[in-house]
Amino acid sequence: MDHDRRFLCKGPPAWDRRKRGHFNQEIGRSAGGLTTKVHALVDALGNPLRIGLTGGNVHDIVPAPDLVSSQSADNLLGDKAYDADQFIAQVHSQGIEVVIPPKSNRRELRNYDRHIYKNRHLVECFFAKIKPCLSA
């Protein structure tokens, strides 16, 4: 019985899987296919200040320092993905108070203002507004 084990995975052969130019297009490959992430910095009213695109396989903390650089604000609200010591130090050096809940695996838990953090829904409202435009 002849079993050919060379074709265990679907798709092109390994030498032909590299796609040229996709790194310049902010498109990332994930289990769901080719994806793009939108990163936004909004003001207290939910209006966009800065928008950035990355591939879907890029972590949220990677474009964050560029988004907040040279910005002035009283508070910076973010979810747990932005809980990184280096990013928090950068934001503090700009004179901005960080309102980010600590990740559960953090050795030393930080305090944050839960009342101010409730205003983070403005970011989610912004994404809800632009999502229909992105899928069209």
Side-chain angles (χ1 to χ4, degrees), residues 16-99:
D16 196 27
R17 286 190 192 140
R18 184 174 60 94
K19 304 293 182 194
R20 291 178 175 88
H22 76 281
F23 292 111
N24 298 332
Q25 298 172 2
E26 304 301 348
I27 297 175
R29 182 169 296 279
S30 67
L34 297 176
T35 57
T36 301
K37 278 188 188 176
V38 179
H39 305 274
L41 182 69
V42 299
D43 63 5
L45 299 174
N47 300 319
L49 297 175
R50 288 189 176 177
I51 296 177
L53 295 175
T54 60
N57 56 346
V58 177
H59 193 273
D60 292 342
I61 195 70
V62 174
D66 293 334
L67 283 175
V68 299
S69 65
S70 71
Q71 292 291 316
S72 61
D74 294 332
N75 299 310
L76 176 81
L77 284 66
D79 60 6
K80 291 182 180 186
Y82 298 99
D83 183 26
D85 291 332
Q86 187 176 5
F87 177 65
I88 291 172
Q90 175 193 349
V91 174
H92 278 301
S93 70
Q94 292 176 236
I96 302 172
E97 183 182 341
V98 176
V99 184

